[in-house]
Amino acid sequence: MRAARLIKMVLLLQSRPSMTAAELARELEVSERTVTRDAQALSEAGVPVYADRGRAGGYRLIGGYRTRLTGLGRSEAEALFLSGVPGALREMGLEDAASAARLKVSAALMPSLRDASRSAAQRFHLDAPNWFKEPKAPDLLPAVADAVWDDRRIVARYRRGEREVERELEPYGLVLKAGVWYLCARVAENGGRDGHGGHGGHGGHGSYRVYRIDRFTAVVPADGRAERFERDEEFDLPGFWDERAEQFARSLLRAEVVVRVSPDGVRRLPYAVDPHSAREALRAAGAPDGDGWVTLTLPVESEEVAHTQLSALGPEIEVLAPEELRERFARDAIRLAALYGSGTARR
């Protein structure tokens, strides 16, 4: 423990011109008295730590001393590429590895570049969760993340409707989408323990599937040991996720509505409904009528969802079919007219 702290102290001093005892104590999470003792121990070991006395004093390395202890470990190097998403690192249990990696890189840089990490952090920040949702990392996320990093098979139990099922999985990658963590995994041979295929897949050995990690109830190493699997190096996580996300979005669109949309409604339509479906429907639509309105057939999740989504366009859209949905919008219009008409009368 102390050896790691001494190494970190050397790296801190190497990355900055000087640091006060208070600054070092805060970074190392120890007392200033411990900092003094550690500095003396480093000096006795041949590391040229010099203490400047006085109110503005502090500790610094002299003689251009450079440590060779800046080599990155595998986990630190991998974590470094994710250093722009501190929340995700923390949830996966990689915050300490990323911190060590950044410190080593900072110590290895030329003095003129040592503020790079700070300047980058001041200019870019990723806030992944949706608005109005309290983000909560799944309890089993660190265990799943460890298996992903180590290419280790796992047996996962997860909620599927009203029951729990069990799968033996080869965890390939993690995706954080709108504050929700997903695992992209390949089902191991004889991976299904309940006779049914997992959600998001096509069944059979070698099929890739997507699992919501917050539905996992247990994750253990396969067969009770850390069994590694041979990763398919051609597997493309971003490409796989994009394909599955599009398939999922399309699978939800099980109904159709026929609408007439104004020029302003055409501009706003992709923001009210699924944008991909909206653009496809607009491309397939005929020419505008004499008023500039376009008639199109729009895929929707259900009439209920369509009512909620299309209501956002107000008078810029007219529902033509199905008749039940058109009548519902007509009733809404009558109620709105009565509401605003009575309001005008009161004023």
Side-chain angles (χ1 to χ4, degrees), residues 80 93 103 119 127 130 151 205 234 261 282:
L80 185 62
L103 181 57
S119 62
D127 186 10
N130 272 335
D151 295 340
H205 173 57
E234 294 184 359
V261 191
L282 288 168

Side-chain angles (χ1 to χ4, degrees), residues 65-300:
Y65 179 83
R66 308 288 296 177
T67 177
R68 294 177 179 268
L69 297 172
T70 55
L72 292 175
R74 168 172 282 276
S75 63
E76 295 168 344
E78 289 168 336
L80 185 62
F81 288 101
L82 297 173
S83 58
V85 283
L89 285 168
R90 183 170 55 253
E91 292 174 4
M92 288 189 291
L94 294 172
E95 188 174 31
D96 290 343
S99 176
R102 287 192 294 268
L103 181 57
K104 289 182 177 182
V105 169
S106 179
L109 291 174
M110 295 187 303
S112 61
L113 299 177
R114 284 177 186 162
D115 66 340
S117 60
R118 181 176 62 85
S119 62
Q122 289 175 337
R123 290 165 173 79
F124 176 77
H125 175 68
L126 176 63
D127 186 10
N130 272 335
W131 289 103
F132 314 119
K133 286 188 178 180
E134 188 68 28
K136 184 180 184 303
D139 294 336
L140 295 173
L141 176 60
V144 176
D146 285 345
V148 170
W149 290 124
D150 294 340
D151 295 340
R152 217 176 344 105
R153 285 192 182 92
I154 59 173
V155 174
R157 292 192 62 83
Y158 66 96
R159 295 186 300 275
R160 187 180 183 187
E162 298 298 321
R163 60 196 180 96
E164 284 191 359
V165 296
E166 190 173 279
R167 293 282 183 274
E168 184 172 324
L169 303 173
E170 296 175 353
Y172 265 67
L174 294 168
V175 175
L176 177 59
K177 169 72 171 179
V180 179
W181 284 96
Y182 296 88
L183 171 67
C184 300
R186 185 167 62 181
V187 179
E189 190 171 0
N190 300 321
R193 305 293 178 87
D194 67 339
H196 298 280
H199 64 280
H202 300 292
H205 173 57
S207 62
Y208 293 96
R209 304 176 185 178
V210 177
Y211 300 86
R212 278 186 59 147
I213 297 179
D214 58 6
R215 293 179 183 169
F216 284 5
T217 59
V219 173
V220 296
D223 298 327
R225 64 184 187 277
E227 183 182 353
R228 298 176 68 87
F229 64 91
E230 186 175 347
R231 173 178 287 266
D232 180 0
E233 296 300 331
E234 294 184 359
F235 176 77
D236 175 19
L237 179 61
F240 169 78
W241 175 259
D242 288 345
E243 179 184 346
R244 286 305 170 90
E246 183 177 340
Q247 289 176 0
F248 175 73
R250 288 177 177 273
S251 71
L252 296 177
L253 306 178
R254 301 185 181 95
E256 288 184 343
V257 298
V258 181
V259 295
R260 191 169 161 264
V261 191
S262 73
D264 187 50
V266 167
R267 180 183 60 81
R268 293 164 53 186
L269 185 63
Y271 300 97
V273 299
D274 175 64
H276 181 77
S277 298
R279 286 190 285 268
E280 282 195 346
L282 288 168
R283 280 195 294 267
D289 60 21
D291 297 324
W293 287 53
V294 176
T295 299
L296 54 90
T297 300
L298 185 67
V300 294

Side-chain angles (χ1 to χ4, degrees), residues 255-259 296-298 300 302-304 306-307 310 318-330:
E256 288 184 343
V257 298
V258 181
V259 295
L296 54 90
T297 300
L298 185 67
V300 294
S302 65
E303 290 186 19
E304 183 69 31
H307 177 261
L310 300 180
E318 177 188 3
V319 174
L320 303 178
E323 187 62 31
E324 296 82 1
L325 184 59
R326 178 178 173 85
E327 291 175 356
R328 187 169 180 178
F329 273 94

